[in-house]
Amino acid sequence: DQQVKQNSPSLSVQEGRISILNCDYTNSMFDYFLWYKKYPAEGPTFLISISSIKDKNEDGRFTVFLNKSAKHLSLHIVPSQPGDSAVYFCAAKAGGYNTDKLIFGTGTRLQVFP
Amino acid sequence: EAGVTQSPTHLIKTRGQQVTLRCSPISGHTSVYWYQQALGLGLQFLLWYDEGEERNRGNFPPRFSGRQFPNYSSELNVNALELEDSALYLCASSSDRINEKLFFGSGTQLSVL
């Protein structure tokens, strides 16, 4: 059972425009969400996170939106740059000590073209 | 400061063999996590070690095991390899038990023939 779903395996966006990556989750106990970016032959690197007590978090060109009622979050990249081309993973975790492992989605490959 | 390091980077094994993967966390990090990324799948949680103890494990068979050493480095062992074990194995570390942010290594690509 995939608790974190990224239904779009790939996305292609022109440089300068907005990239929107989507993520859905099923576990209502998730209270913290993260986005990771992964380049080929490298491990994922942390990008941005959001707590369930917020509905928006912004860091430079990256903004994450959380809609708890819809169990949906999205990552907006504005403006998109060629260096943003990578695989983006959505991850979530539930509170508590023994259950705080991160659950990852399957990833969305973003390609930003000139 | 060195990041999370994993060895080897690539490995080819045959069915039935055993393999050991190694991970050194960022200095000062006490928690080590292992994830498997098979083709077309997300990162699947394998194991979590903290302060030398196994704290949690994912939905994997017992032939996946590991340990954490006093210097917080970790090994992942996989016995009786199967073809479907072919995957990228990622190690991550964090500085506290509430792992709000994990730092990943570049992974070990395991191919089972």
Side-chain angles (χ1 to χ4, degrees), chain B residues 17-21 63-65 76-81 85 89 110:
Chain B
Q17 286 189 307
Q18 178 266 344
V19 68
T20 297
L21 311 181
R63 57 192 186 82
F64 287 83
S65 66
L76 173 68
N77 298 295
V78 188
N79 294 320
L81 284 167
D85 297 334
Y89 289 85
L110 172 65

Side-chain angles (χ1 to χ4, degrees), chain B residues 2-56:
Chain B
V4 177
T5 58
Q6 292 187 243
S7 63
T9 55
H10 294 83
L11 206 50
I12 300 175
K13 292 285 188 178
T14 56
R15 286 181 60 192
Q17 286 189 307
Q18 178 266 344
V19 68
T20 297
L21 311 181
R22 294 178 175 82
C23 171
S24 293
I26 291 173
S27 178
H29 286 192
T30 62
S31 281
V32 170
Y33 301 79
W34 288 94
Y35 283 84
Q36 180 199 66
Q37 186 186 10
L39 195 63
L41 297 178
L43 282 69
Q44 305 293 316
F45 170 73
L46 267 165
L47 289 159
W48 169 32
Y49 292 95
D50 181 67
E51 299 284 356
E53 294 188 20
E54 182 180 302
R55 301 294 183 180
N56 205 346

